Amino acid sequence: MKALIVDDHSIARRGIAQLLEAAFELEEVVGVQDGLAAVTSVRTLQPDLVIMDLQLPENPRGVALCAQLRNLAPAANIVIVTAFDRGGEIKQCLAAGADGALLKDTTDGDIIDALRRIVTGEVVISLGIAARLATDFVGVLRGDDEVVRLTAREREVLDLLAEGCSNREIGERLVISEATVKDFVGILLRKLGASSRLQAVVRASEAGLL
């Protein structure tokens, strides 16, 4: 695998390079500090994976850089790694062709897991970013002061949903069947007035249940 890291902080570039070395068999890793260097490098390197920050010192950057890199390397996986959950800008980057968006304060293990999933074709978004995107999409929680009461088990399932666990993973953690987990998820969706797992997490967060 060939990888390109676009970040204006040398320490961040070295740290990301170490994570990539732990996750993949790498042929070459190139680190650059601005958008101009990224455009030049992607032409010559033709990377399989591009990891880019949104906050760069010179143009192109952000959405414009993401779109240019996608055009120059159509087969590459492009991942936004940022310190801020900038919902609007990240949404535009995803529309421009990014394959994932991760927060820099994500643990090393979770970043490695996310990158491995992304290169297999998944779109992976950190929970904090996903919650911001969902909030922008669904609007604020209902303002009717309705109290949502959850059982202890429902709270356990909700906490694991917030961690991004699948039904199978929740079942393994709580030692219950997937069918039972599915029932609990359905109950949570109804109680929170949500139409999806992500929306349920967002509504629960804003209601102070997480």
Side-chain angles (χ1 to χ4, degrees), residues 160 166-178 181:
L160 293 174
S166 66
N167 286 356
R168 179 181 58 80
E169 291 168 333
I170 294 173
E172 291 174 351
R173 295 271 289 272
L174 299 181
V175 197
I176 56 179
S177 70
E178 283 191 57
V181 174

Side-chain angles (χ1 to χ4, degrees), residues 45-133:
L45 183 65
Q46 282 299 301
D48 304 290
L49 177 64
V50 176
I51 296 180
M52 57 170 281
D53 193 1
L54 292 178
Q55 293 292 102
L56 298 173
E58 296 181 22
N59 289 324
R61 57 187 172 189
V63 180
L65 177 59
C66 184
Q68 284 194 43
L69 297 181
R70 170 54 67 216
N71 288 333
L72 293 169
N77 292 114
I78 299 176
V79 184
I80 307 299
V81 178
T82 178
F84 308 99
D85 56 344
R86 305 160 68 93
E89 191 171 10
I90 291 172
K91 181 179 179 181
Q92 293 178 57
C93 285
L94 292 170
D99 300 289
L102 308 174
L103 291 173
K104 285 186 175 179
D105 63 359
T106 305
T107 65
D108 290 356
D110 285 343
I111 288 181
I112 289 174
D113 177 66
L115 292 175
R116 284 174 172 162
R117 290 163 59 193
I118 287 169
V119 300
T120 62
E122 291 187 51
V123 174
V124 180
I125 303 173
S126 288
L127 181 61
I129 296 173
R132 174 65 63 85
L133 293 176

